[in-house]
Amino acid sequence: MTDRSRQWTAALAVIGDEILSGRTQDKNVAQVATWLNEQGIRLAEVRIVPDEPARIGVAVNELRAAYDYLFTTGGIGPTHDDITVDAIAAAFGVPVIVHPEARAILEDYYRDRPGGLTEARLRMARVPEGAELIPNPTSGAPGVKIENVYIMAGVPYIAASMLEALSGKLEGGKPIVSVTVGARAPESDVADLLRETEAAHPGVAIGSYPFFRDGRYGANFVIRSEDGDLARSTSEDLADRLREAGFEPVAGGL
Amino acid sequence: MTDRSRQWTAALAVIGDEILSGRTQDKNVAQVATWLNEQGIRLAEVRIVPDEPARIGVAVNELRAAYDYLFTTGGIGPTHDDITVDAIAAAFGVPVIVHPEARAILEDYYRDRPGGLTEARLRMARVPEGAELIPNPTSGAPGVKIENVYIMAGVPYIAASMLEALSGKLEGGKPIVSVTVGARAPESDVADLLRETEAAHPGVAIGSYPFFRDGRYGANFVIRSEDGDLARSTSEDLADRLREAGFEPVAGGL
């Protein structure tokens, strides 16, 4: 039975030299965060680590112990720099095996493709002993689940299809509801007003995210709560207070 | 004297509920990574942590001990959710003070602006005792440096201007040179070729980054080395090997 009253948490380990070098703009943090929230699970920490087995191992062992779930992205393809499965197997202290079902999926997927199931492609059937598979409706090679660790592809659209396959299958709590109000206000002009609004509504957190656009300052104020009605009534109160202070509130944000 | 022969490393702590909620797409990882590389410093780890003082403190103390430099982004504005300075002062075990020079900068910046230097804005002059300032040519409120920790704004264009102000001022080693070769090859078809090329050129690392675009598979292969000539000659060798295998190499990547 899912205990919806407690807060469920997850961490994400992004494995990839290409992110740390600045070459590739990460897209997985935002998409995993958004998906987790829909599952009623809070993304509580992200670590981006290089393609080094020892560094992956430390991150995986710390994060899987600290949170309910750990997701990883990256490093599960067919090439020599795809070392995530080996690193995580080592972190768990188990050998790497070829998963029979993964092998069958790959045999089927590559049957009519040029080259067939090469040795390189067969690498993608390797899993830590004791692991299960995460379906990959997009490109054949499955993700891997071992205990509370979900090992996913780094290519964002493939990771997205693995998340889709996991939707509704994880135990979670209440999703966080967030309501956004924007205003063309320099955030320093409304700092007191924000603090007072948050203090007046226990159970909400208000974040302030300033921007400078079209030559003018503005900010979006995000009200978050597990209680959707409370988030909405707080946003209305905040809009009233902004209006009184001379700033036109914009529901949904700017 | 800068020791250019050793590898200089940095970590980045991104402080922000808005990133962990999926609401905001992070831009600072890529820009800090790119800038660090230009300074001859390797971004070795990133952690994204929530706006919670204890969590910020743990990340800051672990990362500043493990790497030459620690950069942080986020949470230094004028609003109640801007708690980075307090959290980092607590992590260092020092009090928070109003920095006289920061106060003077803010007095000057807000002199002719509506509202002047309010109490909320004055929050942005608070620093951990013993800290220095990082100039902010964009929006007045400075960044903060304490020991090897560089505390920067979360808004990407403001963080960029703080990085610009720090350019060439940090000790670093040799920048990593990266050369990219692309090909319309499924990466599993060239996995052996990549491994062999990397093995034939000690001192380089080759990353493989697959994509699916316009209905076709392809991949970019990134050759990285501290030795620019070696990176370039390896890329030429890789291009030859790709051509021999029937894939047209594209210098600079696809």
Side-chain angles (χ1 to χ4, degrees), chain A residues 23 25-26 33 44 46-48 55 67 78 80-81 121 157 187-189 206 208 212 222, chain B residues 20 23 25-26 44 46-48 55 67 78 80-81 121 157 187-189 206 208 212 222:
Chain A
R23 183 185 170 277
Q25 167 68 52
D26 168 76
V46 175
R47 294 195 193 175
I48 310 178
R55 303 283 308 284
Y67 303 101
H80 67 284
D81 57 338
R121 288 167 172 167
Y157 78 91
E187 75 168 345
S188 56
D189 283 5
I206 304 182
S208 171
F212 182 74
V222 179
Chain B
L20 290 173
R23 185 186 168 277
Q25 166 69 52
D26 167 76
V46 175
R47 294 194 194 176
I48 310 178
R55 303 283 309 285
Y67 302 101
H80 67 284
D81 57 336
R121 288 167 173 168
Y157 78 91
E187 74 168 345
S188 56
D189 282 5
I206 304 182
S208 171
F212 182 74
V222 180

mmCIF file of all heavy atoms in Angstrom, chain A residues 23 25-26 33 44 46-48 55 67 78 80-81 121 157 187-189 206 208 212 222, chain B residues 20 23 25-26 44 46-48 55 67 78 80-81 121 157 187-189 206 208 212 222:
data_model
loop_
_atom_site.group_PDB
_atom_site.id
_atom_site.type_symbol
_atom_site.label_atom_id
_atom_site.label_comp_id
_atom_site.label_asym_id
_atom_site.label_seq_id
_atom_site.Cartn_x
_atom_site.Cartn_y
_atom_site.Cartn_z
ATOM 1 N N ARG A 23 29.762 20.912 -23.341
ATOM 2 C CA ARG A 23 29.456 20.653 -24.746
ATOM 3 C C ARG A 23 27.959 20.441 -24.977
ATOM 4 O O ARG A 23 27.393 20.894 -25.964
ATOM 5 C CB ARG A 23 30.214 19.404 -25.207
ATOM 6 C CG ARG A 23 30.014 19.120 -26.670
ATOM 7 C CD ARG A 23 30.658 17.819 -27.092
ATOM 8 N NE ARG A 23 30.192 17.551 -28.436
ATOM 9 C CZ ARG A 23 29.035 16.985 -28.717
ATOM 10 N NH1 ARG A 23 28.248 16.576 -27.751
ATOM 11 N NH2 ARG A 23 28.652 16.811 -29.961
ATOM 12 N N GLN A 25 24.025 20.659 -23.476
ATOM 13 C CA GLN A 25 23.098 21.237 -22.500
ATOM 14 C C GLN A 25 22.214 20.119 -21.962
ATOM 15 O O GLN A 25 21.499 19.474 -22.713
ATOM 16 C CB GLN A 25 22.247 22.307 -23.200
ATOM 17 C CG GLN A 25 21.039 22.780 -22.413
ATOM 18 C CD GLN A 25 21.402 23.563 -21.171
ATOM 19 O OE1 GLN A 25 22.157 24.513 -21.227
ATOM 20 N NE2 GLN A 25 20.879 23.146 -20.026
ATOM 21 N N ASP A 26 22.271 19.894 -20.646
ATOM 22 C CA ASP A 26 21.435 18.852 -20.050
ATOM 23 C C ASP A 26 19.955 19.159 -20.220
ATOM 24 O O ASP A 26 19.519 20.295 -20.064
ATOM 25 C CB ASP A 26 21.730 18.713 -18.557
ATOM 26 C CG ASP A 26 20.662 17.861 -17.888
ATOM 27 O OD1 ASP A 26 20.710 16.633 -18.060
ATOM 28 O OD2 ASP A 26 19.740 18.415 -17.242
ATOM 29 N N ALA A 33 12.549 15.794 -13.219
ATOM 30 C CA ALA A 33 11.905 16.549 -12.132
ATOM 31 C C ALA A 33 10.403 16.657 -12.362
ATOM 32 O O ALA A 33 9.597 16.403 -11.458
ATOM 33 C CB ALA A 33 12.517 17.941 -12.026
ATOM 34 N N ALA A 44 15.012 15.622 -4.891
ATOM 35 C CA ALA A 44 15.631 16.280 -3.740
ATOM 36 C C ALA A 44 17.098 16.621 -3.967
ATOM 37 O O ALA A 44 17.663 17.431 -3.239
ATOM 38 C CB ALA A 44 15.504 15.390 -2.504
ATOM 39 N N VAL A 46 20.401 16.480 -7.234
ATOM 40 C CA VAL A 46 20.973 16.014 -8.494
ATOM 41 C C VAL A 46 22.483 16.057 -8.359
ATOM 42 O O VAL A 46 23.036 16.998 -7.776
ATOM 43 C CB VAL A 46 20.547 16.921 -9.676
ATOM 44 C CG1 VAL A 46 21.251 16.494 -10.969
ATOM 45 C CG2 VAL A 46 19.037 16.908 -9.854
ATOM 46 N N ARG A 47 23.161 15.043 -8.863
ATOM 47 C CA ARG A 47 24.610 15.135 -9.009
ATOM 48 C C ARG A 47 24.975 14.828 -10.449
ATOM 49 O O ARG A 47 24.455 13.883 -11.033
ATOM 50 C CB ARG A 47 25.334 14.135 -8.087
ATOM 51 C CG ARG A 47 25.131 14.468 -6.636
ATOM 52 C CD ARG A 47 26.114 13.737 -5.766
ATOM 53 N NE ARG A 47 25.679 13.843 -4.381
ATOM 54 C CZ ARG A 47 26.261 13.233 -3.361
ATOM 55 N NH1 ARG A 47 27.318 12.446 -3.575
ATOM 56 N NH2 ARG A 47 25.800 13.380 -2.144
ATOM 57 N N ILE A 48 25.856 15.634 -11.001
ATOM 58 C CA ILE A 48 26.388 15.366 -12.331
ATOM 59 C C ILE A 48 27.828 14.922 -12.138
ATOM 60 O O ILE A 48 28.629 15.645 -11.548
ATOM 61 C CB ILE A 48 26.314 16.610 -13.231
ATOM 62 C CG1 ILE A 48 24.894 17.205 -13.193
ATOM 63 C CG2 ILE A 48 26.723 16.259 -14.665
ATOM 64 C CD1 ILE A 48 24.727 18.485 -14.026
ATOM 65 N N ARG A 55 33.816 7.366 -9.358
ATOM 66 C CA ARG A 55 33.007 8.545 -9.031
ATOM 67 C C ARG A 55 31.517 8.219 -9.164
ATOM 68 O O ARG A 55 30.692 8.680 -8.373
ATOM 69 C CB ARG A 55 33.381 9.706 -9.945
ATOM 70 C CG ARG A 55 34.872 10.100 -9.910
ATOM 71 C CD ARG A 55 35.160 10.896 -8.656
ATOM 72 N NE ARG A 55 34.195 11.972 -8.596
ATOM 73 C CZ ARG A 55 34.244 13.073 -9.350
ATOM 74 N NH1 ARG A 55 35.250 13.254 -10.164
ATOM 75 N NH2 ARG A 55 33.315 13.980 -9.246
ATOM 76 N N TYR A 67 17.887 8.549 -0.358
ATOM 77 C CA TYR A 67 16.565 8.878 -0.894
ATOM 78 C C TYR A 67 15.782 7.608 -1.222
ATOM 79 O O TYR A 67 16.364 6.527 -1.322
ATOM 80 C CB TYR A 67 16.705 9.768 -2.142
ATOM 81 C CG TYR A 67 17.476 11.037 -1.829
ATOM 82 C CD1 TYR A 67 18.819 11.168 -2.178
ATOM 83 C CD2 TYR A 67 16.867 12.080 -1.127
ATOM 84 C CE1 TYR A 67 19.535 12.321 -1.854
ATOM 85 C CE2 TYR A 67 17.574 13.229 -0.799
ATOM 86 C CZ TYR A 67 18.912 13.338 -1.166
ATOM 87 O OH TYR A 67 19.609 14.463 -0.831
ATOM 88 N N PRO A 78 26.120 1.429 -26.599
ATOM 89 C CA PRO A 78 26.970 0.324 -27.059
ATOM 90 C C PRO A 78 28.458 0.642 -27.112
ATOM 91 O O PRO A 78 29.241 -0.233 -27.478
ATOM 92 C CB PRO A 78 26.436 0.085 -28.472
ATOM 93 C CG PRO A 78 26.011 1.445 -28.939
ATOM 94 C CD PRO A 78 25.501 2.157 -27.714
ATOM 95 N N HIS A 80 32.462 2.216 -26.019
ATOM 96 C CA HIS A 80 33.435 1.960 -24.954
ATOM 97 C C HIS A 80 33.276 2.914 -23.773
ATOM 98 O O HIS A 80 33.708 2.610 -22.676
ATOM 99 C CB HIS A 80 34.853 2.102 -25.528
ATOM 100 C CG HIS A 80 35.145 3.512 -25.927
ATOM 101 N ND1 HIS A 80 34.628 4.085 -27.079
ATOM 102 C CD2 HIS A 80 35.834 4.498 -25.303
ATOM 103 C CE1 HIS A 80 35.018 5.344 -27.161
ATOM 104 N NE2 HIS A 80 35.744 5.631 -26.108
ATOM 105 N N ASP A 81 32.707 4.097 -24.018
ATOM 106 C CA ASP A 81 32.553 5.059 -22.921
ATOM 107 C C ASP A 81 31.246 4.846 -22.153
ATOM 108 O O ASP A 81 30.910 5.624 -21.267
ATOM 109 C CB ASP A 81 32.666 6.506 -23.435
ATOM 110 C CG ASP A 81 31.642 6.839 -24.535
ATOM 111 O OD1 ASP A 81 31.146 5.897 -25.184
ATOM 112 O OD2 ASP A 81 31.358 8.022 -24.743
ATOM 113 N N ARG A 121 26.446 -4.092 -29.829
ATOM 114 C CA ARG A 121 25.028 -3.918 -29.474
ATOM 115 C C ARG A 121 24.629 -4.832 -28.313
ATOM 116 O O ARG A 121 23.779 -4.465 -27.496
ATOM 117 C CB ARG A 121 24.155 -4.191 -30.705
ATOM 118 C CG ARG A 121 24.263 -3.071 -31.731
ATOM 119 C CD ARG A 121 23.672 -3.434 -33.067
ATOM 120 N NE ARG A 121 23.635 -2.267 -33.947
ATOM 121 C CZ ARG A 121 23.408 -2.318 -35.250
ATOM 122 N NH1 ARG A 121 23.187 -3.477 -35.842
ATOM 123 N NH2 ARG A 121 23.392 -1.215 -35.971
ATOM 124 N N TYR A 157 15.095 11.956 -25.460
ATOM 125 C CA TYR A 157 13.817 11.383 -25.914
ATOM 126 C C TYR A 157 13.729 9.899 -25.576
ATOM 127 O O TYR A 157 12.630 9.361 -25.411
ATOM 128 C CB TYR A 157 13.553 11.667 -27.404
ATOM 129 C CG TYR A 157 14.305 10.788 -28.371
ATOM 130 C CD1 TYR A 157 13.746 9.590 -28.843
ATOM 131 C CD2 TYR A 157 15.567 11.133 -28.813
ATOM 132 C CE1 TYR A 157 14.432 8.776 -29.722
ATOM 133 C CE2 TYR A 157 16.259 10.330 -29.702
ATOM 134 C CZ TYR A 157 15.686 9.154 -30.152
ATOM 135 O OH TYR A 157 16.382 8.347 -31.013
ATOM 136 N N GLU A 187 12.264 42.607 -7.942
ATOM 137 C CA GLU A 187 11.926 41.753 -6.796
ATOM 138 C C GLU A 187 12.283 42.408 -5.467
ATOM 139 O O GLU A 187 11.643 42.136 -4.457
ATOM 140 C CB GLU A 187 12.514 40.328 -6.926
ATOM 141 C CG GLU A 187 13.967 40.181 -6.696
ATOM 142 C CD GLU A 187 14.395 38.714 -6.561
ATOM 143 O OE1 GLU A 187 13.556 37.807 -6.359
ATOM 144 O OE2 GLU A 187 15.587 38.491 -6.632
ATOM 145 N N SER A 188 13.257 43.309 -5.488
ATOM 146 C CA SER A 188 13.610 43.944 -4.213
ATOM 147 C C SER A 188 12.500 44.879 -3.718
ATOM 148 O O SER A 188 12.447 45.219 -2.550
ATOM 149 C CB SER A 188 14.935 44.712 -4.333
ATOM 150 O OG SER A 188 14.873 45.663 -5.369
ATOM 151 N N ASP A 189 11.593 45.296 -4.618
ATOM 152 C CA ASP A 189 10.471 46.137 -4.185
ATOM 153 C C ASP A 189 9.364 45.338 -3.503
ATOM 154 O O ASP A 189 8.479 45.929 -2.874
ATOM 155 C CB ASP A 189 9.841 46.849 -5.400
ATOM 156 C CG ASP A 189 10.668 48.030 -5.856
ATOM 157 O OD1 ASP A 189 11.762 48.232 -5.294
ATOM 158 O OD2 ASP A 189 10.228 48.738 -6.780
ATOM 159 N N ILE A 206 6.982 30.110 -1.021
ATOM 160 C CA ILE A 206 6.933 31.024 -2.162
ATOM 161 C C ILE A 206 8.355 31.271 -2.650
ATOM 162 O O ILE A 206 9.213 31.715 -1.893
ATOM 163 C CB ILE A 206 6.271 32.365 -1.795
ATOM 164 C CG1 ILE A 206 4.869 32.127 -1.217
ATOM 165 C CG2 ILE A 206 6.202 33.280 -3.027
ATOM 166 C CD1 ILE A 206 4.121 33.412 -0.875
ATOM 167 N N SER A 208 10.825 33.247 -5.497
ATOM 168 C CA SER A 208 10.819 34.469 -6.313
ATOM 169 C C SER A 208 11.905 34.356 -7.372
ATOM 170 O O SER A 208 13.069 34.153 -7.042
ATOM 171 C CB SER A 208 11.082 35.675 -5.412
ATOM 172 O OG SER A 208 11.274 36.835 -6.200
ATOM 173 N N PHE A 212 14.963 39.962 -16.382
ATOM 174 C CA PHE A 212 15.104 41.264 -17.025
ATOM 175 C C PHE A 212 14.796 41.028 -18.489
ATOM 176 O O PHE A 212 15.490 40.264 -19.150
ATOM 177 C CB PHE A 212 16.534 41.785 -16.838
ATOM 178 C CG PHE A 212 16.761 43.144 -17.419
ATOM 179 C CD1 PHE A 212 16.253 44.278 -16.793
ATOM 180 C CD2 PHE A 212 17.475 43.300 -18.594
ATOM 181 C CE1 PHE A 212 16.465 45.544 -17.333
ATOM 182 C CE2 PHE A 212 17.692 44.566 -19.137
ATOM 183 C CZ PHE A 212 17.188 45.686 -18.500
ATOM 184 N N VAL A 222 6.403 31.789 -7.368
ATOM 185 C CA VAL A 222 5.837 30.452 -7.464
ATOM 186 C C VAL A 222 5.434 29.989 -6.073
ATOM 187 O O VAL A 222 6.279 29.887 -5.179
ATOM 188 C CB VAL A 222 6.844 29.473 -8.090
ATOM 189 C CG1 VAL A 222 6.237 28.076 -8.167
ATOM 190 C CG2 VAL A 222 7.248 29.953 -9.478
ATOM 191 N N LEU B 20 15.046 21.996 -9.229
ATOM 192 C CA LEU B 20 14.643 20.653 -8.783
ATOM 193 C C LEU B 20 13.158 20.394 -9.015
ATOM 194 O O LEU B 20 12.737 19.233 -9.075
ATOM 195 C CB LEU B 20 14.982 20.464 -7.304
ATOM 196 C CG LEU B 20 16.480 20.372 -6.994
ATOM 197 C CD1 LEU B 20 16.711 20.370 -5.480
ATOM 198 C CD2 LEU B 20 17.092 19.117 -7.615
ATOM 199 N N ARG B 23 10.643 23.484 -12.912
ATOM 200 C CA ARG B 23 10.039 24.715 -13.428
ATOM 201 C C ARG B 23 11.001 25.484 -14.313
ATOM 202 O O ARG B 23 10.620 26.058 -15.333
ATOM 203 C CB ARG B 23 9.623 25.599 -12.246
ATOM 204 C CG ARG B 23 8.889 26.835 -12.688
ATOM 205 C CD ARG B 23 8.604 27.788 -11.550
ATOM 206 N NE ARG B 23 8.170 29.031 -12.124
ATOM 207 C CZ ARG B 23 8.987 29.973 -12.570
ATOM 208 N NH1 ARG B 23 10.278 29.821 -12.476
ATOM 209 N NH2 ARG B 23 8.502 31.071 -13.110
ATOM 210 N N GLN B 25 14.624 25.609 -16.473
ATOM 211 C CA GLN B 25 15.694 24.871 -17.133
ATOM 212 C C GLN B 25 17.025 25.522 -16.740
ATOM 213 O O GLN B 25 17.249 26.682 -17.027
ATOM 214 C CB GLN B 25 15.488 24.918 -18.645
ATOM 215 C CG GLN B 25 16.684 24.480 -19.473
ATOM 216 C CD GLN B 25 16.983 22.999 -19.349
ATOM 217 O OE1 GLN B 25 16.109 22.159 -19.527
ATOM 218 N NE2 GLN B 25 18.225 22.670 -19.002
ATOM 219 N N ASP B 26 17.903 24.747 -16.096
ATOM 220 C CA ASP B 26 19.199 25.300 -15.709
ATOM 221 C C ASP B 26 20.016 25.699 -16.929
ATOM 222 O O ASP B 26 20.059 24.982 -17.932
ATOM 223 C CB ASP B 26 19.996 24.281 -14.905
ATOM 224 C CG ASP B 26 21.448 24.724 -14.780
ATOM 225 O OD1 ASP B 26 21.699 25.626 -13.977
ATOM 226 O OD2 ASP B 26 22.310 24.210 -15.527
ATOM 227 N N ALA B 44 34.442 19.145 -12.359
ATOM 228 C CA ALA B 44 34.532 17.725 -12.017
ATOM 229 C C ALA B 44 33.256 17.184 -11.380
ATOM 230 O O ALA B 44 33.059 15.973 -11.340
ATOM 231 C CB ALA B 44 35.704 17.504 -11.058
ATOM 232 N N VAL B 46 28.916 18.422 -10.295
ATOM 233 C CA VAL B 46 27.859 19.405 -10.055
ATOM 234 C C VAL B 46 26.878 18.797 -9.069
ATOM 235 O O VAL B 46 26.560 17.603 -9.171
ATOM 236 C CB VAL B 46 27.099 19.765 -11.356
ATOM 237 C CG1 VAL B 46 25.923 20.696 -11.064
ATOM 238 C CG2 VAL B 46 28.035 20.384 -12.383
ATOM 239 N N ARG B 47 26.427 19.586 -8.114
ATOM 240 C CA ARG B 47 25.292 19.160 -7.294
ATOM 241 C C ARG B 47 24.221 20.232 -7.351
ATOM 242 O O ARG B 47 24.511 21.420 -7.250
ATOM 243 C CB ARG B 47 25.698 18.950 -5.834
ATOM 244 C CG ARG B 47 26.652 17.798 -5.688
ATOM 245 C CD ARG B 47 26.793 17.373 -4.251
ATOM 246 N NE ARG B 47 27.944 16.498 -4.118
ATOM 247 C CZ ARG B 47 28.389 16.011 -2.971
ATOM 248 N NH1 ARG B 47 27.767 16.316 -1.844
ATOM 249 N NH2 ARG B 47 29.440 15.219 -2.941
ATOM 250 N N ILE B 48 22.987 19.774 -7.522
ATOM 251 C CA ILE B 48 21.846 20.683 -7.463
ATOM 252 C C ILE B 48 21.118 20.381 -6.170
ATOM 253 O O ILE B 48 20.709 19.236 -5.936
ATOM 254 C CB ILE B 48 20.913 20.503 -8.673
ATOM 255 C CG1 ILE B 48 21.726 20.548 -9.992
ATOM 256 C CG2 ILE B 48 19.826 21.571 -8.676
ATOM 257 C CD1 ILE B 48 20.889 20.341 -11.250
ATOM 258 N N ARG B 55 21.214 21.451 3.829
ATOM 259 C CA ARG B 55 21.592 20.733 2.602
ATOM 260 C C ARG B 55 22.652 21.518 1.821
ATOM 261 O O ARG B 55 23.582 20.937 1.266
ATOM 262 C CB ARG B 55 20.354 20.482 1.735
ATOM 263 C CG ARG B 55 19.224 19.705 2.435
ATOM 264 C CD ARG B 55 19.565 18.233 2.496
ATOM 265 N NE ARG B 55 19.934 17.790 1.166
ATOM 266 C CZ ARG B 55 19.070 17.582 0.172
ATOM 267 N NH1 ARG B 55 17.789 17.707 0.395
ATOM 268 N NH2 ARG B 55 19.489 17.216 -1.013
ATOM 269 N N TYR B 67 37.653 19.728 -4.112
ATOM 270 C CA TYR B 67 38.119 20.313 -5.375
ATOM 271 C C TYR B 67 38.870 21.621 -5.124
ATOM 272 O O TYR B 67 38.764 22.200 -4.047
ATOM 273 C CB TYR B 67 36.924 20.538 -6.316
ATOM 274 C CG TYR B 67 36.180 19.248 -6.584
ATOM 275 C CD1 TYR B 67 34.991 18.961 -5.927
ATOM 276 C CD2 TYR B 67 36.706 18.281 -7.446
ATOM 277 C CE1 TYR B 67 34.327 17.755 -6.142
ATOM 278 C CE2 TYR B 67 36.047 17.084 -7.666
ATOM 279 C CZ TYR B 67 34.867 16.818 -7.008
ATOM 280 O OH TYR B 67 34.225 15.631 -7.212
ATOM 281 N N PRO B 78 17.414 39.652 -3.074
ATOM 282 C CA PRO B 78 16.896 40.405 -1.931
ATOM 283 C C PRO B 78 15.710 39.761 -1.211
ATOM 284 O O PRO B 78 15.224 40.329 -0.240
ATOM 285 C CB PRO B 78 16.438 41.713 -2.596
ATOM 286 C CG PRO B 78 15.993 41.283 -3.962
ATOM 287 C CD PRO B 78 16.892 40.149 -4.354
ATOM 288 N N HIS B 80 13.141 36.685 0.674
ATOM 289 C CA HIS B 80 13.227 35.806 1.850
ATOM 290 C C HIS B 80 13.778 34.420 1.497
ATOM 291 O O HIS B 80 14.285 33.727 2.371
ATOM 292 C CB HIS B 80 11.833 35.649 2.459
ATOM 293 C CG HIS B 80 10.905 34.892 1.544
ATOM 294 N ND1 HIS B 80 10.338 35.475 0.424
ATOM 295 C CD2 HIS B 80 10.497 33.610 1.536
ATOM 296 C CE1 HIS B 80 9.607 34.589 -0.214
ATOM 297 N NE2 HIS B 80 9.687 33.454 0.427
ATOM 298 N N ASP B 81 13.641 34.005 0.238
ATOM 299 C CA ASP B 81 14.130 32.669 -0.137
ATOM 300 C C ASP B 81 15.599 32.715 -0.569
ATOM 301 O O ASP B 81 16.142 31.702 -1.006
ATOM 302 C CB ASP B 81 13.241 32.042 -1.237
ATOM 303 C CG ASP B 81 13.146 32.903 -2.502
ATOM 304 O OD1 ASP B 81 13.358 34.126 -2.405
ATOM 305 O OD2 ASP B 81 12.843 32.351 -3.562
ATOM 306 N N ARG B 121 16.923 45.353 -0.233
ATOM 307 C CA ARG B 121 18.080 45.458 -1.133
ATOM 308 C C ARG B 121 19.396 45.386 -0.365
ATOM 309 O O ARG B 121 20.389 44.849 -0.876
ATOM 310 C CB ARG B 121 17.988 46.755 -1.939
ATOM 311 C CG ARG B 121 16.889 46.685 -2.997
ATOM 312 C CD ARG B 121 16.560 48.037 -3.587
ATOM 313 N NE ARG B 121 15.626 47.880 -4.703
ATOM 314 C CZ ARG B 121 14.971 48.881 -5.279
ATOM 315 N NH1 ARG B 121 15.151 50.122 -4.848
ATOM 316 N NH2 ARG B 121 14.147 48.647 -6.277
ATOM 317 N N TYR B 157 22.365 35.563 -16.946
ATOM 318 C CA TYR B 157 23.155 36.660 -17.548
ATOM 319 C C TYR B 157 23.916 37.421 -16.479
ATOM 320 O O TYR B 157 24.959 38.016 -16.753
ATOM 321 C CB TYR B 157 22.276 37.579 -18.421
ATOM 322 C CG TYR B 157 21.418 38.576 -17.679
ATOM 323 C CD1 TYR B 157 21.894 39.849 -17.391
ATOM 324 C CD2 TYR B 157 20.149 38.249 -17.255
ATOM 325 C CE1 TYR B 157 21.109 40.767 -16.700
ATOM 326 C CE2 TYR B 157 19.361 39.142 -16.572
ATOM 327 C CZ TYR B 157 19.841 40.405 -16.291
ATOM 328 O OH TYR B 157 19.071 41.314 -15.601
ATOM 329 N N GLU B 187 25.669 4.488 -33.640
ATOM 330 C CA GLU B 187 26.919 4.382 -32.870
ATOM 331 C C GLU B 187 27.300 2.921 -32.621
ATOM 332 O O GLU B 187 28.481 2.619 -32.491
ATOM 333 C CB GLU B 187 26.875 5.207 -31.573
ATOM 334 C CG GLU B 187 26.060 4.678 -30.464
ATOM 335 C CD GLU B 187 26.313 5.396 -29.123
ATOM 336 O OE1 GLU B 187 27.308 6.137 -28.954
ATOM 337 O OE2 GLU B 187 25.502 5.176 -28.235
ATOM 338 N N SER B 188 26.298 2.038 -32.614
ATOM 339 C CA SER B 188 26.663 0.628 -32.384
ATOM 340 C C SER B 188 27.453 0.051 -33.562
ATOM 341 O O SER B 188 28.126 -0.962 -33.429
ATOM 342 C CB SER B 188 25.416 -0.222 -32.116
ATOM 343 O OG SER B 188 24.489 -0.115 -33.165
ATOM 344 N N ASP B 189 27.388 0.678 -34.733
ATOM 345 C CA ASP B 189 28.174 0.214 -35.888
ATOM 346 C C ASP B 189 29.641 0.633 -35.806
ATOM 347 O O ASP B 189 30.467 0.116 -36.555
ATOM 348 C CB ASP B 189 27.605 0.789 -37.197
ATOM 349 C CG ASP B 189 26.350 0.047 -37.646
ATOM 350 O OD1 ASP B 189 25.886 -0.834 -36.886
ATOM 351 O OD2 ASP B 189 25.843 0.362 -38.737
ATOM 352 N N ILE B 206 37.814 9.668 -26.026
ATOM 353 C CA ILE B 206 36.818 9.863 -27.080
ATOM 354 C C ILE B 206 35.435 9.570 -26.523
ATOM 355 O O ILE B 206 35.183 8.481 -26.012
ATOM 356 C CB ILE B 206 37.082 8.951 -28.302
ATOM 357 C CG1 ILE B 206 38.507 9.176 -28.835
ATOM 358 C CG2 ILE B 206 36.045 9.229 -29.402
ATOM 359 C CD1 ILE B 206 38.837 8.353 -30.070
ATOM 360 N N SER B 208 31.256 9.414 -27.293
ATOM 361 C CA SER B 208 30.342 9.175 -28.420
ATOM 362 C C SER B 208 28.942 9.625 -28.027
ATOM 363 O O SER B 208 28.400 9.157 -27.020
ATOM 364 C CB SER B 208 30.350 7.683 -28.758
ATOM 365 O OG SER B 208 29.331 7.403 -29.706
ATOM 366 N N PHE B 212 19.232 11.108 -33.075
ATOM 367 C CA PHE B 212 18.298 10.648 -34.097
ATOM 368 C C PHE B 212 17.651 11.904 -34.649
ATOM 369 O O PHE B 212 16.984 12.636 -33.921
ATOM 370 C CB PHE B 212 17.254 9.727 -33.469
ATOM 371 C CG PHE B 212 16.277 9.154 -34.459
ATOM 372 C CD1 PHE B 212 16.665 8.149 -35.337
ATOM 373 C CD2 PHE B 212 14.978 9.627 -34.521
ATOM 374 C CE1 PHE B 212 15.770 7.626 -36.259
ATOM 375 C CE2 PHE B 212 14.074 9.106 -35.431
ATOM 376 C CZ PHE B 212 14.474 8.096 -36.296
ATOM 377 N N VAL B 222 33.600 13.093 -29.787
ATOM 378 C CA VAL B 222 34.358 14.217 -29.261
ATOM 379 C C VAL B 222 35.685 13.699 -28.716
ATOM 380 O O VAL B 222 35.715 12.868 -27.795
ATOM 381 C CB VAL B 222 33.571 14.951 -28.164
ATOM 382 C CG1 VAL B 222 34.388 16.128 -27.616
ATOM 383 C CG2 VAL B 222 32.242 15.446 -28.719
#
